Amino acid sequence: MPSLDRKNIAVIHCGAMHAQITDQDSLDEWLSSIWEIDILAEVHPFFVSDAVQTHYEPEWKQTMTIIRNNWEEYDGFVVYVPASEVIQCSIAASFILGRLGKPVIFTADPYAGVLTEKNLSLMSNLINGTLMAISEHAGIYTLYDGNVFSPFQLQNIGEHNRMKYIGEPVARIDFGLHIQSELPGRSSLAQPNENLVEDITELADLEVSEPDNTGLRSITATIPIDHIPTITYTVEQNEHPTISCAIGDHHILLPMTEAAFITKLSWVLMNMKDTADMETILLQVMQKNVMGELITEL
Amino acid sequence: MKVFIYDDKTGGVIQQVCEDLGISTITQEMVAQESQKGNKPVGFIFDEVDALIIEMTKPTQDIQFMLAQATLLKKPTLCLYAKNQSPRELLGFIKRHYRPASIKTFSYIKKELEERVEHFLTVHDPESQHARHIPNIRFTMRLSEYVDDYVTWYAKEYNMTKAKAMRNIMHNAIEDDMYYLEKHQEDLEKKSKRKKQ
């Protein structure tokens, strides 16, 4: 007889999931009360933060450390973050953790914070995320509105944490999971980035200026790195998002979302801070499709 | 009434019963076809159906997922499996945890299938039966200590009031009493005929 296949899934609470979840104990209690998810998988909760707004330090970094440290123990990971941060956080994880051999699903509840006896949209979202996390498709994905996306497909459009997406979802969830793109399968060889021996890679702290009357923004890194070239950019209003970027004296067009651009730049600057010819390396790496962030290849 | 059907075993019997009763159905294939045409569901698709019928002789992750969402949303769900081919682990899991009032499991042989599906649909058609399921009849009774112990345990175990526990226990007993249901159906038909005469 076919057996009930229940995988082990880590659920990481990194902010603003439910007003009544304030620590590990309350998260344990809440998750253990959801029989519905138990039929899908054995879930193990990790509490990181109950903040409405979280940041790279310490919350996202702690989340990625949990994923890295518990990689062998779980078959997949579901991460809840505040809705306003889910895109940026999942993009950061893509660069920092690298190409993974298990599913890591980022999601959020746009109605988080509303105190209800049983937050159905939240629980339903958790079930959807778990379904993807137990699937045979590896990688980092973002769950939004019943669909599964690469984090690089999504853009915030401001109001009420609504997002728009580029292209088609990589998977659709209705009465089951339906894969719509070719996705990598599970692999024991693809582990969180091997560079993370001692610690999770940092992201450079960047300050982005307000746009001038042409829409031009400049970027300043607040880390002590020598020889950082001047970096400015505008967001082109095309059918697909495009960043028109000047690095030193060079000008390039990058087919990517603004969130992907900023996060990738943070990651690149931090990883190459001791490099002598920074301008050349920056130009090369930013134009290289490292994790699928360049939209023409979606 | 709209019913989602998951059935890769009966050769369309379940769908035929629904159509004979004039009940609208939706399957995964239909959803996929609509999606390919660009017609995507507005909102959560489980909200679009009133009930689910799942043939679960061979459990899959999709079936587990459907059960999880249907239970969460309290959608009446009929889980069918062929006699002598029970998905023991899944069944044991459903019954080991509190048995949600919305999930009914039933092992079938071919000749019973249509009747069972028809019964489920008739009971859960919100247009015809909804009013009968609203608890609006006050009834006072005394319980023995033995019965009270069970009701108290049930209420605590499944996190509900004792009144709701009593209703759940009686509702489940009715659903399991095939003799009563057959006789009751006969009585209803007789009453209906008398009214028409």
Side-chain angles (χ1 to χ4, degrees):
Chain A
M1 288 293 127
S3 67
L4 195 64
D5 177 22
R6 291 172 72 236
K7 290 189 166 69
N8 286 318
I9 302 298
V11 173
I12 304 173
H13 179 304
C14 186
M17 188 161 84
H18 191 294
Q20 290 178 325
I21 297 172
T22 55
D23 55 22
Q24 184 68 50
D25 286 343
S26 53
L27 179 61
D28 289 347
E29 193 181 329
W30 184 76
L31 266 182
S32 66
S33 72
I34 310 174
W35 172 85
E36 295 88 354
I37 196 170
D38 216 25
I39 201 173
L40 264 184
E42 193 153 338
V43 294
H44 302 264
F46 290 85
F47 178 85
V48 169
S49 170
D50 63 347
V52 175
Q53 274 188 319
T54 59
H55 304 89
Y56 179 72
E57 293 256 26
E59 290 94 356
W60 302 1
K61 196 171 161 184
Q62 190 178 343
T63 297
M64 286 184 260
T65 304
I66 289 171
I67 294 171
R68 193 271 311 273
N69 290 350
N70 292 279
W71 188 250
E72 295 299 331
E73 202 169 333
Y74 296 101
D75 299 299
F77 299 80
V78 177
V79 182
Y80 269 88
V81 295
S84 59
E85 298 165 16
V86 66
I87 297 175
Q88 211 170 347
C89 191
S90 54
I91 291 174
S94 296
F95 286 115
I96 290 170
L97 295 176
R99 295 193 187 276
L100 301 177
K102 296 179 184 178
V104 176
I105 314 303
F106 283 80
T107 189
D109 181 11
Y111 305 108
V114 177
L115 191 63
T116 57
E117 185 187 325
K118 192 171 183 181
N119 190 325
L120 285 181
S121 67
L122 172 62
M123 290 182 177
S124 199
N125 215 20
L126 179 57
I127 292 171
N128 284 348
T130 302
L131 179 64
M132 188 65 191
I134 64 175
S135 76
E136 292 310 305
H137 306 287
I140 294 177
Y141 301 100
T142 308
L143 178 64
Y144 173 67
D145 219 13
N147 291 307
V148 182
F149 296 94
S150 155
F152 303 108
Q153 288 180 276
L154 294 169
Q155 290 177 280
N156 276 318
I157 52 174
E159 293 180 21
H160 308 299
N161 298 318
R162 297 303 297 171
M163 302 179 200
K164 70 173 186 179
Y165 55 87
I166 304 131
E168 290 301 312
V170 300
R172 179 174 51 83
I173 298 177
D174 44 60
F175 293 107
L177 178 64
H178 309 283
I179 304 299
Q180 302 187 142
S181 295
E182 208 166 313
L183 300 179
R186 285 178 180 263
S187 165
S188 60
L189 298 174
Q191 309 230 345
N193 199 318
E194 287 175 0
N195 292 331
L196 308 178
V197 174
E198 297 293 327
D199 198 358
I200 293 286
T201 304
E202 303 288 325
L203 288 180
D205 205 6
L206 301 182
E207 279 182 12
V208 181
S209 71
E210 289 296 315
D212 66 12
N213 56 2
T214 65
L216 187 72
R217 297 174 188 257
S218 61
I219 294 178
T220 314
T222 58
I223 47 171
I225 300 178
D226 294 330
H227 314 300
I228 297 181
T230 306
I231 304 173
T232 59
Y233 76 96
T234 54
V235 180
E236 299 285 313
Q237 302 299 326
N238 298 331
E239 188 185 335
H240 293 308
T242 307
I243 302 294
S244 174
C245 170
I247 298 177
D249 296 326
H250 296 88
H251 183 260
I252 53 175
L253 286 176
L254 299 169
M256 60 200 305
T257 64
E258 188 177 4
F261 169 70
I262 297 292
T263 309
K264 184 178 181 181
L265 193 60
S266 304
W267 175 71
V268 173
L269 282 172
M270 206 62 202
N271 274 280
M272 54 181 285
K273 58 185 173 180
D274 296 325
T275 308
D277 188 4
M278 188 169 284
E279 186 168 322
T280 305
I281 304 280
L282 251 182
L283 283 164
Q284 284 175 357
V285 178
M286 290 304 289
Q287 294 180 92
K288 184 180 173 188
N289 198 13
V290 176
M291 290 301 300
E293 69 276 13
L294 300 182
I295 293 167
T296 54
E297 299 204 15
L298 275 174
Chain B
M1 182 182 184
K2 197 168 192 178
V3 175
F4 171 77
I5 298 172
Y6 182 90
D7 175 19
D8 62 357
K9 190 168 173 69
T10 73
V13 169
I14 299 172
Q15 185 141 7
Q16 191 59 53
V17 172
C18 294
E19 286 172 7
D20 291 345
L21 288 171
I23 287 172
S24 174
T25 60
I26 184 169
T27 63
Q28 281 188 320
E29 291 74 25
M30 289 178 188
V31 175
Q33 280 166 13
E34 287 300 304
S35 180
Q36 275 168 7
K37 289 179 200 170
N39 300 330
K40 287 162 191 173
V42 177
F44 190 38
I45 198 163
F46 276 81
D47 288 336
E48 295 184 15
V49 301
D50 299 297
L52 292 86
I53 300 177
I54 300 173
E55 210 294 340
M56 64 175 208
T57 302
K58 289 181 185 170
T60 62
Q61 272 178 2
D62 276 358
I63 287 177
Q64 289 164 237
F65 169 75
M66 288 174 224
L67 284 173
Q69 291 285 21
T71 309
L72 177 72
L73 297 167
K74 294 183 171 49
K75 297 286 179 182
T77 304
L78 179 64
C79 299
L80 300 162
Y81 53 95
K83 208 151 205 147
N84 298 324
Q85 296 178 50
S86 65
R88 286 203 187 93
E89 229 181 306
L90 180 54
L91 272 179
F93 191 88
I94 293 170
K95 290 177 180 176
R96 193 164 61 240
H97 288 66
Y98 87 91
R99 182 179 156 193
S102 59
I103 292 187
K104 299 298 169 201
T105 58
F106 185 73
S107 74
Y108 67 90
I109 55 176
K110 207 170 172 183
K111 64 179 183 179
E112 294 171 337
L113 181 59
E114 287 183 22
E115 184 186 324
R116 190 56 182 164
V117 172
E118 194 175 321
H119 167 68
F120 172 79
L121 293 169
T122 307
V123 167
H124 290 292
D125 183 349
E127 285 171 12
S128 69
Q129 293 292 326
H130 177 68
R132 285 172 50 78
H133 291 276
I134 297 172
N136 56 8
I137 300 171
R138 185 176 282 279
F139 188 87
T140 305
M141 64 187 293
R142 289 184 185 277
L143 302 177
S144 66
E145 198 176 308
Y146 178 76
V147 172
D148 185 58
D149 276 351
Y150 175 71
V151 175
T152 304
W153 172 84
Y154 189 107
K156 189 178 175 187
E157 182 72 14
Y158 304 130
N159 194 27
M160 55 182 69
T161 62
K162 282 175 76 171
K164 189 169 180 188
M166 284 290 300
R167 287 195 289 271
N168 264 22
I169 292 162
M170 285 189 278
H171 184 93
N172 286 341
I174 294 169
E175 290 295 293
D176 289 341
D177 191 339
M178 289 304 297
Y179 176 71
Y180 163 77
L181 290 168
E182 283 167 9
K183 298 300 285 182
H184 183 63
Q185 199 61 26
E186 284 175 15
D187 289 341
L188 277 178
E189 282 169 5
K190 282 178 191 169
K191 278 182 193 170
S192 173
K193 277 182 191 168
R194 266 186 245 129
K195 275 186 185 172
K196 285 177 187 172
Q197 284 168 355

